Amino acid sequence: ACGPKETAPAPAPEAKAFAAVDTARIETASAGAEWLTYGGTYDEQRHSSLDAVNKDNVDQLGVAWTFDLATNRGVEVTPVVVDGVMFVTSAWSVVYALDAKTGEMLWEHDPDVDRAVGVNACCDVVNRGVAVYDGKIYVGIIDGRLQALDAKTGDLVWETVTVDQSKPYTITGAPRVVNGKVLIGNGGAELGVRGYLSAYDAETGDRVWRFYTVPNPQKQPDGEVSDTAFEQIGNATWGDEGAWVTDGGGGTVWDSIVYDEVNDQIIFGVGNGSPWNRTFRDPSAGDNLFLSSIVAVDANTGEYKWHFQTTPGDNWDYTATQTIILADLPLGEGGAPRRVAMQAPKNGFFYVIDAATGEFISGDAFVPLNWATGLDENGRPIEVPEARYGKVPYNQLPGPLGAHNWHPMAFNPDLNLAYIPAQEIPQAYAEDPRFFTKEIKWNTGADFSAGVPTVATPEVAKFLRSTLKGRLIAWDPVAREPRWTVEHGNAWNGGVLSTAGGLVFQGKLNGDFVAYDAATGDKLWSRNVKSGAGAGPGTYMIDGEQYVTIATGWGSAFALSAGFAYDEKVPSTVGKIVTFKLGGTGEIPDADLPAIDRTPKAEPFGTEAQLAEGVVDYARNCAVCHGPLAVSSGVLPDLRWSAISANPDSWKGVVLEGHYSANGMVSFADYLSEDDVEAIRAYVLAQAHAAAAADDSGE
Ligand SMILES: O=C(O)c1cc(C(=O)O)c2c(n1)C(=O)C(=O)c1cc(C(=O)O)[nH]c1-2
Ligand SMILES: [Ca+2]
């Protein structure tokens, strides 16, 4: 096991040529011995040509080394490996350079993020990784900065602020670098921002172009490359009024960005609307381009080329930011190869579109869903009217966590199979009758308190958990059906790696890291990595040995907002890089975390009316971070066991006076009264006593 060392760092190999990566090298050398860009190659298939580890010997995989990422927050990084060095990120956008053979740390770079910005991060302070180019490492910082670091030393070369930091923007996604330009988007559409993709000069950090995904609030030109697209097609899909005008409209580019070298274009995925509920966002009920769309722009100028909107008039957080994979499929005339883009976005349909034109080729449901009955010949969803929820809740599949989230999908070009980390997480959506825009808070216009019981026993949590499902689907995009499916016991399983060894690797929510037969789905090997295993695995080769690696850690959107899904067997451990090789004999160290005293800290109190108010206020203000039903999965404090719940003044000090705002727990004084806050305390304590009573009865 390796942690930060006191000894001098080992010299990085080949000082002069180190990390001399350019577009040609990424095009030719990726996803073989090295892993040079987030998705393995520019096509982002996450398919490695390595086959030293294969079906016949995968059962001999053992731990080569581990590295401690020094965080108990979510970890989502896919390691980039170049010239024998692995570059990874941890929570709070900290970057590490490791010797990829031994795990020894070469350098660490901490951007010193003010922890108070944690409140802007809808889905944990995660980071999915770096880009490497011409001797530099590029990383997006959770507070909206973009940094270039010297690949050899970790020293800062340049940094630039990519967002208006007075707004709740974040960056969680990995930059990509193409022909000397660094591409980076941002997040924040749950709280209320206006999304865009920017290109920066890799050498200087100067901004080259910016493509907004939502019109300027006055529908006036921004002086950016997206202006023409809005004048010609975008503006007409938005009304002149509604919350979008002040809240930014959403459309964040928070994950997928791919370079299509054949058509010399950037294809990126656009997120949901701000607020989610279109009735509030845009009462004119337009399609709201380019929300929930796949958009292609010229790789050099950023000029609009085409778009395909997966969810017109998004109403549900149905982002189209999920993995975009480019491939040649036998879909041309007479089975000739046709270059396509594939995506399995949150909305539950698997899309195949023409990469050159954006033309819709096919789209099919890959999970059970009840918001649409299918797609028309242009790929437009045929909606179920009730799904445009009003005051009556509609229990919907998929919910806002999606039929597929950020967990990277992979594609095996020999078998023509896409491996989707799919899930079923339903959600009852209803219109929020009290909606108004709150500064630096969630602003969805949807109400999640509908139907929540005033006091829920652990049985309720268990029941809810049993409604969640996850599966690994080997989807055949030509036959438009699954070739095989593995059922997982729970939702929110990990990203996928495909290899020429005939293997598919995927981590599971319970920490099992599994290798399946790529052709059949048979399980060939598994090892528990003692933490969440959601990140995209990677592979590389050094000195004739193939390594398989995965970043682990407990956190992310699901751990924050779906606490009941935590089955208490999943340890909320410290994040690590865990790297395997054939014959490896290493161990994965246990985390040494203080035990939580799971007892209520005060007597229950509160009238029925007070508890009823507490349920609603909790569900609307607290649940997205501390978990529904006041059950946290351990990333942020479980309020039921909080010492602060013992005393009304300490409780008010945190919730109204912001005593913990430096940690990201800001004051809610603008939106909650003293009575509301005391009602929340009554509700939280009632939940604590219900859970403790169930424990006593031997549950
Ligand atoms: O709309 C946005 O701007 C935005 C950003 C992010 C993010 O940057 O992590 C997520 C989401 N949305 C989102 O909807 C979502 O389900 C999600 C899950 C995660 C995660 O890292 O676990 N991030 C995000
Ligand atoms: Ca979102």
Side-chain angles (χ1 to χ4, degrees):
C2 296
K5 292 254 160 63
E6 275 165 37
T7 48
E14 221 16 52
K16 231 170 71 208
F18 183 59
V21 174
D22 60 9
T23 291
R25 183 167 168 193
I26 296 175
E27 277 168 358
T28 53
S30 255
E34 301 191 299
W35 192 278
L36 297 176
T37 185
Y38 179 70
T41 57
Y42 276 134
D43 287 351
E44 307 233 352
Q45 295 184 351
R46 290 178 178 264
H47 177 78
S48 168
S49 59
L50 297 179
D51 61 2
V53 175
N54 54 51
K55 285 189 230 186
D56 298 328
N57 61 18
V58 66
D59 60 335
Q60 292 158 38
L61 269 191
V63 175
W65 56 263
T66 70
F67 177 82
D68 193 329
L69 291 171
T71 185
N72 55 5
R73 301 293 293 263
V75 173
E76 301 186 355
V77 62
T78 302
V80 163
V81 180
V82 54
D83 294 339
V85 179
M86 175 187 288
F87 297 97
V88 294
T89 56
S90 184
W92 300 106
S93 331
V94 177
V95 184
Y96 295 93
L98 311 175
D99 181 321
K101 190 172 171 162
T102 64
E104 187 181 353
M105 187 174 86
L106 305 176
W107 54 256
E108 170 185 2
H109 185 270
D110 187 339
D112 288 325
V113 172
D114 177 354
R115 285 353 187 203
V117 308
V119 71
N120 295 341
C122 68
C123 309
D124 205 358
V125 290
V126 293
N127 187 284
R128 297 188 194 91
V130 303
V132 56
Y133 197 83
D134 194 19
K136 290 191 254 326
I137 300 301
Y138 301 89
V139 59
I141 312 297
I142 192 79
D143 62 14
R145 286 175 288 163
L146 176 67
Q147 291 189 330
L149 310 177
D150 183 314
K152 211 169 148 245
T153 62
D155 293 340
L156 185 67
V157 179
W158 57 254
E159 78 171 357
T160 184
V161 177
T162 71
V163 301
D164 174 351
Q165 288 180 312
S166 71
K167 302 216 162 84
Y169 281 105
T170 51
I171 302 180
T172 60
R176 315 305 199 267
V177 188
V178 178
N179 288 325
K181 292 183 198 67
V182 189
L183 301 157
I184 190 73
N186 47 57
E190 269 62 271
L191 291 85
V193 297
R194 180 181 179 213
Y196 50 86
L197 176 71
S198 313
Y200 291 86
D201 184 295
E203 195 54 40
T204 63
D206 294 336
R207 178 145 71 83
V208 186
W209 52 257
R210 172 163 294 171
F211 192 100
Y212 280 100
T213 59
V214 166
N216 175 296
Q218 286 76 42
K219 295 190 182 167
Q220 294 301 312
D222 292 297
E224 301 290 355
V225 68
S226 39
D227 286 350
T228 324
F230 285 110
E231 278 155 26
Q232 292 177 356
I233 47 175
N235 285 345
T237 66
W238 292 80
D240 293 324
E241 278 154 35
W244 78 274
V245 177
T246 47
D247 296 11
T252 42
V253 183
W254 60 266
D255 198 18
S256 56
I257 306 167
V258 299
Y259 173 49
D260 173 4
E261 39 194 289
V262 173
N263 298 297
D264 200 22
Q265 60 190 1
I266 306 295
I267 307 180
F268 58 95
V270 183
N272 56 278
S274 289
W276 296 356
N277 186 337
R278 188 181 61 176
T279 310
F280 296 133
R281 184 175 71 244
D282 176 9
S284 84
D287 281 355
N288 296 167
L289 290 173
F290 295 95
L291 297 184
S292 304
S293 300
I294 299 168
V295 179
V297 299
D298 182 278
N300 292 304
T301 63
E303 264 161 76
Y304 170 86
K305 292 184 72 171
W306 55 257
H307 77 276
F308 174 79
Q309 191 172 36
T310 61
T311 308
D314 168 52
N315 206 42
W316 310 276
D317 190 14
Y318 280 176
T319 63
T321 55
Q322 280 55 46
T323 319
I324 296 171
I325 291 179
L326 301 172
D328 293 315
L329 292 180
L331 292 172
E333 236 165 274
R338 185 169 181 186
R339 187 162 171 81
V340 303
M342 291 177 275
Q343 190 189 49
K346 276 191 184 178
N347 78 10
F349 289 97
F350 186 96
Y351 296 91
V352 180
I353 60 182
D354 187 284
T357 63
E359 187 194 333
F360 172 72
I361 298 173
S362 68
D364 302 277
F366 61 91
V367 289
L369 48 82
N370 67 359
W371 72 281
T373 55
L375 304 176
D376 72 13
E377 72 277 10
N378 301 314
R380 191 181 176 93
I382 303 158
E383 286 181 19
V384 173
E386 293 77 17
R388 295 246 165 224
Y389 50 90
K391 304 236 158 28
V392 181
Y394 185 69
N395 195 29
Q396 188 158 318
L397 259 179
L401 287 169
H404 172 212
N405 206 293
W406 61 270
H407 310 92
M409 172 169 93
F411 178 77
N412 181 319
D414 304 323
L415 300 171
N416 278 345
L417 286 179
Y419 301 100
I420 318 168
Q423 56 191 17
E424 289 177 36
I425 308 178
Q427 176 70 53
Y429 292 85
E431 185 168 302
D432 181 352
R434 303 184 191 179
F435 176 73
F436 65 97
T437 298
K438 300 174 181 169
E439 222 171 294
I440 318 283
K441 298 281 185 314
W442 278 53
N443 289 298
T444 63
D447 183 13
F448 301 123
S449 71
V452 176
T454 310
V455 179
T457 61
E459 255 98 88
V460 175
K462 248 185 236 169
F463 168 74
L464 286 173
R465 185 157 77 231
S466 73
T467 66
L468 309 186
K469 296 190 180 78
R471 53 183 72 97
L472 176 61
I473 302 174
W475 183 266
D476 181 334
V478 178
R480 299 168 55 180
E481 62 188 21
R483 200 171 301 166
W484 55 258
T485 299
V486 173
E487 298 287 339
H488 296 320
N490 209 332
W492 209 259
N493 300 290
V496 184
L497 165 71
S498 163
T499 76
L503 300 172
V504 168
F505 289 89
Q506 186 193 26
K508 290 172 39 175
L509 183 75
N510 71 359
D512 287 342
F513 184 43
V514 187
Y516 301 96
D517 184 318
T520 63
D522 290 338
K523 182 168 152 181
L524 301 176
W525 170 86
S526 134
R527 176 78 183 253
N528 193 282
V529 293
K530 303 186 184 176
S531 188
T539 188
Y540 54 94
M541 193 158 210
I542 298 177
D543 297 339
E545 279 186 303
Q546 183 181 351
Y547 295 81
V548 177
T549 187
I550 183 166
T552 72
W554 185 245
S556 84
F558 187 72
L560 289 183
S561 68
F564 60 84
Y566 173 49
D567 69 5
E568 304 191 9
K569 285 185 212 87
V570 184
S572 47
T573 56
V574 176
K576 289 186 184 59
I577 303 294
V578 182
T579 301
F580 298 89
K581 65 173 185 179
L582 296 177
T585 55
E587 290 296 325
I588 303 169
D590 287 314
D592 183 19
L593 292 177
I596 295 168
D597 171 20
R598 297 168 61 88
T599 56
K601 302 300 182 292
E603 289 307 309
F605 70 94
T607 62
E608 233 165 84
Q610 214 171 2
L611 287 171
E613 181 63 30
V615 173
V616 171
D617 289 336
Y618 182 93
R620 292 195 181 138
N621 296 281
C622 319
V624 290
C625 290
H626 292 280
L629 310 177
V631 180
S632 161
S633 68
V635 183
L636 296 182
D638 191 318
L639 301 181
R640 295 173 303 171
W641 320 125
S642 161
I644 294 156
S645 69
N647 178 307
D649 291 327
S650 327
W651 188 257
K652 268 187 284 180
V654 174
V655 186
L656 294 180
E657 286 148 39
H659 286 179
Y660 287 173
S661 55
N663 299 343
M665 172 59 202
V666 296
S667 163
F668 281 69
D670 287 348
Y671 310 114
L672 292 171
S673 68
E674 289 199 8
D675 286 349
D676 294 339
V677 167
E678 193 59 358
I680 294 173
R681 193 171 75 93
Y683 167 67
V684 164
L685 279 168
Q687 296 299 112
H689 282 277
D695 268 358
D696 286 348
S697 71
E699 283 290 322

